[in-house]
């Protein structure tokens, strides 16, 4: 008859299967809660998870992590194969396999390509670096589309030897933009995925996943290269197939991301739904409606954190626009809604200012009829005074993080004289 085993404690690793500690025959024994031995398959899965997934998965990451990583892995694999075809074309274009080509000419072409890429990286980071946090999904997808265009140019370049250097330099500029946008947006998504201040772990495991995918792509490429050599038709056919898979997987990847922080697009979606039916969408619902392609605005653009002179030009205009202890000042000039922010403004004030700017931008749309600008400004202030507190409570109740935002504020801040009124 089996001796009585007294349960001492139960433990689990993250959300894994629990283990029991029991006292038996004067000693402490550790065993599964289910009292089943760990199988070899389970051991392999456990090791695989520990190598390629962040510690504490799935509790240590956001709920959309696995779905995003699946599509991201698929797009990385197809991009790796497309890159092999593009690299082969580039090497052929600089003279590999051509006895008449010189080492000096090939070196100059490669140096020009690298030089233009470096300049492109600096210029793009200067012009658009501040947009990559607030519009991470759009720029992530844009980067991958641009990467496919760059690889297509490299494949076509050998067919136009007179323009080869120009084509590969242009391709290099595109790829430099891809490097900046792709790396920065990946970092922004890692911040979103990290739930235990484990950004470094998530980033490291993402690198391991990418390395494994690239290794698989390398093995497949070894099979493809003999088939596509001196076969332009097959090269282009395979490239378009891999590109189609790459773009589809990228679209699904960014669509699967559910961010709980507010940027302009998500806040606009929430506000419009709230003003229409009084309901605040959840993060999942709003993220489904968020556009993921860069687009031309159909409403007035909004600029946040601008200089005072961009909103008012005369003292009397400032007196009319000022409100007691106002945390922001809003105006419409040169076809743009502009917001000045006070130095004492908090995150709540930033959200309120953005809501008012979004409403004005929608109402002043050229396709809509509206009253005078001054009347619309006054109406926007009254609307926020009445509705904003209820709206913000609904936002927090729906699961949004209202303690920080991804709104694209510039750095100008005001301290106006309280005696001007």
């Amino acid at each position: 008859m089996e001796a009585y085993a007294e349960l001492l404690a139960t433990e689990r690793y993250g959300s894994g299967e629990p283990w029991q500690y029991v006292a038996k025959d004067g000693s402490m024994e550790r065993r599964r809660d289910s009292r089943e031995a760990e199988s070899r398959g389970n051991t392999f899965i456990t090791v695989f998870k520990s190598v390629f997934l962040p510690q504490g998965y799935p509790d240590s990451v956001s709920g959309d992590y696995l779905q995003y990583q699946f599509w991201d892995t698929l797009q990385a694999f197809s991009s790796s194969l497309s890159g092999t075809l593009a690299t082969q074309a580039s090497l052929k274009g600089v003279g590999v396999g051509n006895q008449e080509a010189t080492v000096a000419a090939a070196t100059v072409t490669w140096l020009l390509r690298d030089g233009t890429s470096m300049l492109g990286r600096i210029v793009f980071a200067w012009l658009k670096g501040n947009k990559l946090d607030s519009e991470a999904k759009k720029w992530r997808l844009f980067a991958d589309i641009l990467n496919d265009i760059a690889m297509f140019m490299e494949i076509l370049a050998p067919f136009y030897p007179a323009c080869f250097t120009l084509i590969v330099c242009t391709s290099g500029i595109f790829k430099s933009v891809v490097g900046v946008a792709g790396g920065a947006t990946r970092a922004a998504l890692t911040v979103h995925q990290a739930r235990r201040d484990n950004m470094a772990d998530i980033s490291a495991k993402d690198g391991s996943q990418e390395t494994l995918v690239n290794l698989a792509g390398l093995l497949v490429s070894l099979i493809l290269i003999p088939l596509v050599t001196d076969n332009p038709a097959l090269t282009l056919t395979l490239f378009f197939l891999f590109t189609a898979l790459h773009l589809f997987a990228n679209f699904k990847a960014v669509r699967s991301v559910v961010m709980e922080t507010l940027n302009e697009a998500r806040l606009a979606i929430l506000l419009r739904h709230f003003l229409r039916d009084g309901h605040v969408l959840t993060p999942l619902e709003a993220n489904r409606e968020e556009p993921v392609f860069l687009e031309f605005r159909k409403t007035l653009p909004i600029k946040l954190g601008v200089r005072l002179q961009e909103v008012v030009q005369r003292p009397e205009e400032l007196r009319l626009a000022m409100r007691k202890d106002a945390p922001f000042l809003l105006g419409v000039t040169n076809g743009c809604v502009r917001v000045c922010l006070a130095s004492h403004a908090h995150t709540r004030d930033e959200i309120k200012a953005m809501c008012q700017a979004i409403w004005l931008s929608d109402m002043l749309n050229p396709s809509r009829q509206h009253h005078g600008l001054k009347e619309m400004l006054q109406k926007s202030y009254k609307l926020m005074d009445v509705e904003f507190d209820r709206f913000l409570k609904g936002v927090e109740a729906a699961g949004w993080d209202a303690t920080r935002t991804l709104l694209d504020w510039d750095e100008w801040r005001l301290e106006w004289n309280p005696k001007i009124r």
Side-chain angles (χ1 to χ4, degrees), residues 329-340:
L329 185 66
L330 189 142
V332 181
T333 56
N334 300 322
C336 181
V337 181
R338 303 173 191 269
V339 183
C340 297

Side-chain angles (χ1 to χ4, degrees), residues 370-405:
H370 54 80
H371 301 290
L373 177 58
K374 188 177 297 185
E375 289 78 5
M376 295 301 294
L377 278 170
Q378 292 299 324
K379 189 175 180 181
S380 70
Y381 278 109
K382 291 178 181 178
L383 179 68
M384 289 299 110
D385 289 342
V386 172
E387 299 289 353
F388 180 72
D389 287 340
R390 190 162 64 94
F391 171 69
L392 188 60
K393 288 180 181 178
V395 166
E396 293 170 341
W400 293 91
D401 181 5
T403 61
R404 62 188 182 93
T405 68

Side-chain angles (χ1 to χ4, degrees), residues 310-352:
E310 295 183 48
V311 177
V312 296
Q313 282 73 43
R314 296 191 299 274
E316 54 270 24
E317 292 180 351
L318 179 58
R319 291 189 179 94
L320 290 172
M322 280 290 297
R323 311 180 95 202
K324 185 178 180 181
D325 298 326
F328 60 88
L329 185 66
L330 189 142
V332 181
T333 56
N334 300 322
C336 181
V337 181
R338 303 173 191 269
V339 183
C340 297
L341 193 66
S343 58
H344 64 271
H346 300 291
T347 303
R348 180 185 185 280
D349 303 317
E350 294 179 1
I351 297 174
K352 184 175 182 179

